[in-house]
Structures are given as C-alpha cells and as structure tokens.
Amino acid sequence: MEQSPFLVRAIVPEEFASWEAVIGASFGFDSRPEDQEVWKKRAEFDRYLAAFDGDDMVGTGGALTFSMAVPGGTCLPFGGVTAVATRPTHRRRGVLTAIMRRLQEQGVERGEAISALWAAESLIYRRFGYGVAIEGCSLKIERAHAALADDRPPAGRLRQVAGEAARAVFPGVYARATKGIPGTMPRGDLDWEMYFYDPEHWRDGASAHRYVVYERDGKPAGYVIYRQKEAWEGDYPHSEVRIGDLQAVDGEAYRALWRYCFGIDLVWMIKAGSRRLREPLVLLLKDPRWLQQSRVDHIWLRLLDV
Ligand SMILES: CC(C)(COP(=O)(O)OP(=O)(O)OC[C@H]1O[C@@H](n2cnc3c(N)ncnc32)[C@H](O)[C@@H]1OP(=O)(O)O)[C@@H](O)C(=O)NCCC(=O)NCCS
C-alpha cells in the first residue's frame, strides 16, 4: 500500500481549536470559541484525527461513536465519520485518503461492523467503499395548499414550551417514535445537548427554535421543532416555517403536528429538511400534488466486517 507523505495521528484536546480552524477553512466558516465549547464535550479524541505537513495541520477527519438500528431489530455500534476536511492549499494530494484509511482501521480494531456518514458531496465516498444506504428528502408546500384531507382537531393538546421543558420531553418521544426504524440512531445526553444548541449565527435571519409538544392522555406523543422566518412582499405575508424535526409516536400525533404547522398564521411556505423518502404526509393531504419533495442521498454506509 502506498505510504502517505502526511503524518496522520489523533489530536489532543489542546489542538481542538486548530482542528476546527482547518474544518472552517475548507467548509467556509469561522470557527467560534463558544461553538467549540459545545463540540468539545462530545469529541472522542482517540478518533479525532489530523494530517500534518511538517508542523502544519492540513487535514482533519474523525468518528463519533453511535449505534444504528438495522433491519432485523438490532442496533449496531459504528463510527459516524465527521469533520472531513483538507485545507485548500493541500487538496488532491491524498490527505483525505490517508485519514479515511486510518479511520476505517480504527473501526475494524474496535470490532465495528459498519461505518456511516452524511456526505457533503456525493462524489467523494464511493472510492472508500461507501454506498447510499438510506435516502431522504426535503419537503416544501405553500400554506395556501397545505390542507389535510381529514382536518378534524386532534384528540390531545399542543403546547409551545421553552427549551428546558423540551429538553426534558423530547428524548423520550424520540426513543419511542424511532425505535427499530432502520437508519435511526439512539441519542445520548451530549447528542441532545448539541441538538438544543441554538446560537444566533446558525439561524440565517430566522427566529430562535420554537418547541411544540403534542400531549394525549396527559403524556407526550410527539413534538416539532421549527423556526419562523418573517418576510413580506409589499402588503402580503411571505414568511416561512422551517421545520427542523418532527417526531410522533403514532399516526394521530403525526397528523396533529402537521396540522399545527399548517395552521401558523402569516406563513406563505412550510419547509422541512431531513425527512424520510416515503414521508406519509403525502397521504394526508387534500391535494398532494402541491407537496414538493426533493430526494437526496442521506446515510452512506460501508461494511467493515464482511
Ligand atoms: C473532500 C475533501 C476532504 C477531499 O480531500 P482531499 O485531501 O483533496 O482528497 P484526496 O486527495 O485524498 O482525494 C482522493 C480522491 O478523491 C477525489 N475527490 C476528493 N474530493 C472530491 C470531491 N469533492 N469530488 C470528487 N472527487 C473528489 C480526488 O480527486 C481523488 O481522486 P483520485 O484518487 O482518483 O486522484 C476536500 O476537498 C475538502 O475539504 N472539501 C471541503 C469539505 C468537504 O466537503 N468535506 C467532506 C465532508 S463530508
């Protein structure tokens, strides 16, 4: 096997800011100390690798240990590949290749059967043995056409809650709503902490996260997290509702939450990202043609243990 000219090794916590700077330099953002504080808590430094050209850190790539539900009802531990970046000065010289090789070796050493990731670009990972395992989609629908075929009020009640209250309720709902669905991943405390991190510079001019819980028989049965982006075109409201996540333990709760999202006033467009490819919403709409769905590759997966 060809030897890489770049030294690849795990970083130490003191190098985390430099690691983030490399990621920022290739993705195009300025890494902020307050963000780093949050990421650092979840970091796994033995799996966070960097490539060096002399003393200069020129590439990064890491893995975070998760588990994923797979067909057959089990959950497999795996390294979720993340933070893959090469400084623009060093691109196409094998930096990524050297890091990926080591990340995959580490996965094998840990006895992990799979490795998985979300790809920034779809041409990068096939050469490293990954293929699309799960497809997803983003949705959008004009509110004027977002009527449900069955528009009866839900059986339970909806409550808008603050972040702290949401933090207490969402994990239990998420666990029930996603249990056993292939491709879903149980989340730990630190994953939830990152989920609820909502700094202003991530909002793209929209509101802070809104958290709404659906309760039935006194128990949480679903939630939605979204932002509102206010806009006007002349005298006409042109605002958006941007749904970040919507989870429901059953069909009744699912309908109640979409009905809520469609009912928010002054909204022109409702958008949702990272949804399932076969999102059941289309079956609930009075006029499904107006639901625009864009398919996207979602989870890329590679077998390590064959
Ligand atoms: C993607 C990225 C990490 C590639 O790093 P790199 O060090 O240039 O990659 P390598 O030199 O090891 O390339 C290995 C091979 O993959 C190909 N490749 C790498 N990135 C590619 C891309 N974005 N599109 C198509 N092919 C790509 C290279 O051409 C090379 O092909 P070859 O073996 O036939 O010569 C780098 O371009 C980058 O930092 N991009 C911005 C951040 C990003 O998209 N990260 C991915 C996050 S999921």
Side-chain angles (χ1 to χ4, degrees):
M1 200 180 280
E2 209 181 302
Q3 195 65 33
S4 165
F6 304 103
L7 169 75
V8 172
R9 64 161 172 82
I11 61 164
V12 293
E14 294 69 32
E15 291 173 312
F16 189 62
S18 309
W19 205 71
E20 284 283 307
V22 173
I23 300 166
S26 54
F27 272 87
F29 66 88
D30 295 320
S31 176
R32 299 181 186 221
E34 63 269 31
D35 298 345
Q36 291 171 21
E37 283 302 303
V38 180
W39 304 143
K40 205 170 176 177
K41 287 192 219 166
R42 179 64 172 91
E44 294 177 39
F45 284 103
D46 52 340
R47 305 190 88 169
Y48 275 22
L49 309 181
F52 292 84
D53 181 1
D55 290 340
D56 295 341
M57 194 187 286
V58 295
T60 61
L64 284 166
T65 310
F66 287 101
S67 64
M68 185 190 295
V70 294
T74 45
C75 252
L76 290 180
F78 74 98
V81 175
T82 184
V84 166
T86 298
R87 278 198 187 277
T89 47
H90 284 69
R91 64 194 285 283
R92 308 303 180 261
R93 288 164 61 186
V95 171
L96 165 67
T97 305
I99 287 179
M100 283 306 290
R101 192 176 290 159
R102 184 64 199 128
L103 285 174
Q104 292 182 349
E105 283 168 5
Q106 285 188 324
V108 172
E109 285 158 16
R110 287 165 172 257
E112 291 168 348
I114 55 173
S115 166
L117 54 87
W118 280 276
E121 291 191 275
S122 51
L123 286 179
I124 304 174
Y125 291 101
R126 220 165 253 136
R127 73 189 68 243
F128 300 115
Y130 294 80
V132 179
I134 297 188
E135 293 184 303
C137 77
S138 55
L139 305 174
K140 64 179 189 178
I141 186 164
E142 284 180 36
R143 182 172 176 238
H145 299 283
L148 295 175
D150 173 1
D151 196 36
R152 277 173 302 170
R157 70 167 184 153
L158 291 146
R159 283 200 309 136
Q160 193 158 27
V161 298
E164 250 172 53
R167 176 78 182 77
V169 167
F170 281 23
V173 172
Y174 176 81
R176 286 164 65 205
T178 59
K179 192 169 190 311
I181 298 178
T184 57
M185 298 164 210
R187 293 187 188 136
D189 278 351
L190 290 173
D191 300 317
W192 282 107
E193 190 172 323
M194 284 164 67
Y195 180 99
F196 280 100
Y197 183 57
D198 183 26
E200 195 160 353
H201 57 274
W202 285 6
R203 295 179 193 164
D204 190 25
S207 71
H209 274 144
R210 317 286 193 217
Y211 308 104
V212 169
V213 177
Y214 178 61
E215 293 171 343
R216 207 179 41 221
D217 303 324
K219 282 193 231 119
Y223 63 76
V224 59
I225 174 170
Y226 65 94
R227 299 185 194 282
Q228 286 161 286
K229 175 85 165 75
E230 189 196 15
W232 293 84
E233 269 200 7
D235 291 333
Y236 301 98
H238 218 68
S239 303
E240 288 180 7
V241 162
R242 298 176 180 172
I243 299 171
D245 191 12
L246 183 154
Q247 299 289 347
V249 302
D250 56 29
E252 200 276 332
Y254 180 83
R255 192 183 70 87
L257 287 161
W258 279 108
R259 186 178 184 274
Y260 167 77
C261 295
F262 292 168
I264 299 169
D265 284 327
L266 301 180
V267 169
W268 164 68
M269 187 71 86
I270 296 124
K271 294 181 174 175
S274 300
R275 302 304 303 174
R276 277 181 271 166
L277 188 58
R278 303 210 184 285
E279 183 76 36
L281 176 63
V282 72
L283 305 172
L284 301 186
L285 293 171
K286 194 171 182 178
D287 189 352
R289 181 179 291 184
W290 286 91
L291 182 67
Q292 297 176 54
Q293 290 177 280
S294 343
R295 188 206 61 79
V296 70
D297 47 278
H298 198 101
I299 295 178
W300 288 70
L301 192 138
R302 188 212 142 119
L303 298 180
L304 295 178
D305 182 1
V306 279

